[in-house]
Amino acid sequence: MIGFSRALFLRALALAGVLVMSGAAFAQTAPAPAAPSPPPANFPASHIAIAAEVLKTSGLMRTFEASTPNVVQMLRANMSRTRPELVRQIEESLKVVEGKMVEMTNDGLKGAAGYLASRMTEAELKEVNTFLTSPVGRKYVETLPAFMEDILPYLEQWTQVVGQEAMVIFRAEMAKRGAPL
């Protein structure tokens, strides 16, 4: 969604950077980066299923879905730039990668569902999902992207102001203790 574009772009850029670096590492025969820590997995299938449903219904799944095209595009740009003589083979290979992205996205969802299941009971997740599928819950989910678009610049400015104010207080406290900065 448009409202998540900035945050999603930054996350996708970070993920793409990791993938591009791992591609560069592969090209240099360096070992691949370690796989992420596996999520907790000792939950019944129904618990994981409702956690996954909450992630989908809440719109959080869009983070995974929006990241994958950016990852492929970053790979395309990096590999085409570093190996322009292989453009045809790169494009053929990227089509295979794109085909695997749905499976990779589903794996990401399962992993995220495991983490969510570790923090909320199945009953709590069912309650959350009931809310998210209600009219007001759907409105909340629909409102979040625009809210995020509004809040990100505000949060950046607020963080700067708080940081400056905290430094003023900190310096005053240090001065009281005989250690002016």
Side-chain angles (χ1 to χ4, degrees):
M1 298 201 83
I2 293 173
F4 281 126
S5 61
R6 185 175 182 184
L8 286 176
F9 173 74
L10 293 174
R11 285 187 206 120
L13 191 59
L15 179 59
V18 168
L19 288 173
V20 166
M21 293 308 294
S22 68
F26 177 73
Q28 298 171 9
T29 66
S37 301
N42 56 343
F43 300 101
S46 59
H47 194 163
I48 297 295
I50 191 64
E53 187 60 30
V54 166
L55 290 171
K56 288 177 188 174
T57 307
S58 69
L60 290 173
M61 182 59 187
R62 288 185 222 126
T63 302
F64 290 96
E65 293 166 343
S67 295
T68 56
N70 293 327
V71 168
V72 171
Q73 192 57 31
M74 291 295 287
L75 282 170
R76 176 177 284 115
N78 185 58
M79 293 300 141
S80 296
R81 185 177 56 251
T82 58
R83 299 296 304 268
E85 73 279 10
L86 299 176
V87 170
R88 184 179 55 80
Q89 294 93 329
I90 289 169
E91 287 303 319
E92 291 169 356
S93 297
L94 285 175
K95 289 198 184 309
V96 173
V97 171
E98 287 172 332
K100 301 274 185 189
M101 283 300 189
V102 170
E103 181 182 334
M104 294 163 120
T105 301
N106 287 335
D107 288 344
L109 173 62
K110 288 176 191 172
Y115 284 109
L116 185 57
S118 73
R119 297 193 174 268
M120 297 183 79
T121 67
E122 188 173 345
E124 290 168 333
L125 289 166
K126 285 179 181 178
E127 247 183 90
V128 169
N129 202 51
T130 298
F131 166 72
L132 292 172
T133 57
S134 71
V136 71
R138 284 192 305 269
K139 174 142 177 122
Y140 175 75
V141 170
E142 290 169 7
T143 301
L144 279 177
F147 169 74
M148 292 304 293
E149 190 73 25
D150 293 341
I151 198 71
L152 286 175
Y154 168 78
L155 188 57
E156 290 171 6
Q157 293 170 347
W158 177 84
T159 301
Q160 289 175 359
V161 169
V162 167
Q164 291 168 354
E165 290 176 8
M167 182 55 86
V168 168
I169 295 167
F170 177 72
R171 285 184 174 155
E173 289 300 315
M174 291 297 287
K176 287 180 192 175
R177 288 162 178 73
L181 299 176

